[in-house]
Amino acid sequence: MHAPLISIVVPAHDESGRLGDCLESVLRQSFADVEVLVVQDRSPQTPQTLPASSRDPRVAVLRLGAAVGVGQARSAGADRARGGHLLFLDADHTLADGALQALADRLREAGDPDVLLFGHAHLHAGRRPGAAAELLEAAASGTFAPLERPELFGAPAHSWDRLVRRELWVREGLRFPEGLYEEVPVVVRAMLAARSAAVLPRECVELHRRHTLHPAGSPGSSHFDIFGQYERAFAHVEALGPAAEPVRVHLFDRMVRHCLFVLELGGCVPRASRQAFFRAAADHHRRYLPAGHRRPEGREGVKFSLLAGGSYSAYEIAKLSHIAGGRVASRLR
């Protein structure tokens, strides 16, 4: 049986009702050497009736007998995949027109690397590029070992903005762990294990939800899972010894930015739990702070300093002062 170039794994968690759009954006691509694995579990966010596009012969539906969350659904899909490279999408993602052909062309040009990074775009309230756009642009030429570009470990660790060679996935025994933010240790480990990587500086995946938070973790998961996920990621870095020390610096900055983003994003951490979340983030700051670390400039650097200080009340006062100052400035304009 022919093995396609790309296997696309899509957990059918579909709170926004966009799974049909996701599948259609894949199936209408001019490049057709793909398989799509839709993983349907028994989570409340998973529809039991799938869109008509799931009946396309390139689509296989994998039905799980329990509510397992996005991470285990992705792993189950990867286990069934036959393609040379894996791409993980969520139900409210779509592929830009021509994306698969561009990815296939770049794979060929780059000598079929273990990892191919590419851009994404946010479509909520207007189109804007993903946070890693500048990093990708700077690394766009040639093929490289990820350890030669440690700054890429400072990009958000998403599983849907890169192709991963399935042979690498199998060789390393990669699987998504339980809980929320399960992408973090998997992406870090895949990048560390990759012998070669390349970049396609093009927005291939389009995000339709407001924020880049996946729709559901495994049962019992919470936003506090982020700390265990970064512990796993740093363990992978530390296992490589001194050779990975430059990675540690960039991964530390990514961890702090990520934790503060979750803390400040409405609807994530309940107000009653915010102080405990801040303290856990401050503990991870102390635990993983690289020697000679230089904080970012400007307001972001102030946030880093406040987290290092460990005082949640000081952090909240500084945030309220900034908000109040912004309101006063707006009135004076």
Side-chain angles (χ1 to χ4, degrees), residues 37-233:
L37 297 121
V38 177
V39 186
Q40 185 182 35
D41 76 346
R42 295 188 177 274
S43 298
Q45 301 87 357
T46 300
Q48 296 310 301
T49 301
L50 298 179
S53 49
S54 66
R55 295 191 288 272
D56 185 284
R58 289 169 290 173
V59 178
V61 178
L62 175 59
R63 293 180 171 86
L64 306 181
V68 299
V70 169
Q72 287 194 46
R74 289 189 183 124
S75 295
D79 289 344
R80 285 279 298 272
R82 298 179 296 109
H85 296 265
L86 299 171
L87 171 60
F88 298 97
L89 298 179
D90 287 342
D92 58 357
H93 294 166
T94 54
L95 289 181
D97 290 344
L100 289 180
Q101 185 63 62
L103 289 169
D105 291 344
R106 186 70 181 108
L107 284 173
R108 184 179 64 255
E109 292 167 0
D112 207 26
D114 285 335
V115 177
L116 177 60
L117 303 154
F118 52 85
H120 65 271
H122 300 263
L123 300 188
H124 178 81
R127 190 180 188 95
R128 60 184 177 86
E134 291 185 7
L135 283 175
L136 295 181
E137 191 68 39
S141 60
T143 303
F144 52 88
L147 287 177
E148 297 171 353
R149 299 273 189 165
E151 66 275 11
L152 290 174
F153 289 83
H158 301 310
S159 60
W160 35 258
D161 61 3
R162 64 201 70 209
L163 293 179
V164 178
R165 182 193 291 275
R166 188 166 62 88
E167 187 274 330
L168 168 67
W169 187 273
V170 173
R171 184 183 77 229
E172 295 298 318
L174 295 177
R175 299 191 72 79
F176 292 95
E178 296 280 350
L180 295 177
Y181 310 107
E182 78 293 326
E183 297 169 298
V184 172
V186 173
V187 165
V188 169
R189 186 175 173 191
M191 290 285 284
L192 291 171
R195 300 187 180 100
S196 59
V199 168
L200 174 64
R202 168 177 170 160
E203 296 170 351
C204 293
V205 173
E206 300 168 329
L207 281 65
H208 294 266
R209 60 178 176 263
R210 184 176 181 183
H211 297 294
T212 53
L213 298 174
H214 55 61
S218 52
S221 60
S222 83
H223 292 287
F224 280 80
D225 296 340
I226 192 172
F227 303 113
Q229 307 297 15
Y230 275 101
E231 289 168 10
R232 294 181 179 94

Side-chain angles (χ1 to χ4, degrees), residues 236-254:
H236 296 320
V237 173
E238 290 161 1
L240 289 182
E245 191 60 26
V247 169
R248 181 184 176 94
V249 174
H250 295 284
L251 184 60
F252 174 82
D253 284 347
R254 167 47 39 195

